[in-house]
Amino acid sequence: MIAKKFRIPREQISYILNSGESLTSKLFIIRFKRSDEKFFKYRVVVSKKLEPKAVKRNLIRRQIYESIRLNTSALEESQGFDLIFIPKKRIISSKFQEILEDIKQIIININAEPQQNP
């Protein structure tokens, strides 16, 4: 489980999905919005369309949260963003190491994004 200060509240999810910017990677669709906080807040949304069984959806969710946790050093160096990770169908057949590398790339891309658009 992630710490409460790093969690996006349920009420804000639809706001970020509707008004946030989008970024795609090999395994994820990421919706993000800049926040006033000095740290990242994140949430993982796994659809029933992706995997009908709750056990497998929860496994995917836990793997994503763990890979985010392992990349927290990169998160601490950047400005605050609210991130929503939406996994693609391809994640079902992916190994944990692939998820870890993909999230690392996402974090690098999001950190580079504000520098391109001042």
Side-chain angles (χ1 to χ4, degrees), residues 62-73:
R62 285 193 309 270
Q63 287 178 335
I64 295 168
Y65 279 133
E66 179 64 13
S67 55
I68 292 170
R69 187 188 68 79
L70 292 173
N71 284 308
T72 53
S73 61

Side-chain angles (χ1 to χ4, degrees), residues 19-30:
S19 64
E21 297 178 52
S22 184
L23 180 70
T24 59
S25 70
K26 186 172 88 171
L27 300 175
F28 296 100
I29 298 169
I30 299 91

Side-chain angles (χ1 to χ4, degrees), residues 28-52:
F28 296 100
I29 298 169
I30 299 91
R31 300 292 296 195
F32 63 96
K33 192 150 186 73
R34 187 182 302 275
S35 72
D36 297 333
E37 304 288 339
K38 294 184 179 179
F39 51 86
F40 274 78
K41 287 174 140 183
Y42 48 91
R43 191 77 173 231
V44 177
V45 178
V46 184
S47 171
K48 282 186 182 180
K49 283 184 179 180
L50 181 74
E51 182 57 57

Side-chain angles (χ1 to χ4, degrees), residues 29-107:
I29 298 169
I30 299 91
R31 300 292 296 195
F32 63 96
K33 192 150 186 73
R34 187 182 302 275
S35 72
D36 297 333
E37 304 288 339
K38 294 184 179 179
F39 51 86
F40 274 78
K41 287 174 140 183
Y42 48 91
R43 191 77 173 231
V44 177
V45 178
V46 184
S47 171
K48 282 186 182 180
K49 283 184 179 180
L50 181 74
E51 182 57 57
K53 295 192 177 198
V55 173
K56 292 187 179 182
R57 284 195 311 271
N58 290 333
L59 174 66
I60 292 167
R61 190 176 293 116
R62 285 193 309 270
Q63 287 178 335
I64 295 168
Y65 279 133
E66 179 64 13
S67 55
I68 292 170
R69 187 188 68 79
L70 292 173
N71 284 308
T72 53
S73 61
L75 288 171
E76 291 170 354
E77 298 170 358
S78 59
Q79 300 172 346
F81 282 97
D82 292 340
L83 300 165
I84 296 181
F85 290 86
I86 305 167
K88 293 181 178 178
K89 191 78 167 171
R90 174 181 242 173
I91 202 165
I92 294 171
S93 62
S94 299
K95 296 187 176 51
F96 179 73
Q97 191 62 31
E98 293 175 46
I99 297 170
L100 190 64
E101 290 300 318
D102 200 47
I103 287 182
K104 185 183 256 184
Q105 255 336 97
I106 290 167
I107 293 169

Side-chain angles (χ1 to χ4, degrees), residues 8-19:
I8 295 175
R10 180 172 277 181
E11 301 81 39
Q12 290 184 359
I13 291 174
S14 62
Y15 173 71
I16 295 169
L17 287 175
N18 293 330
S19 64

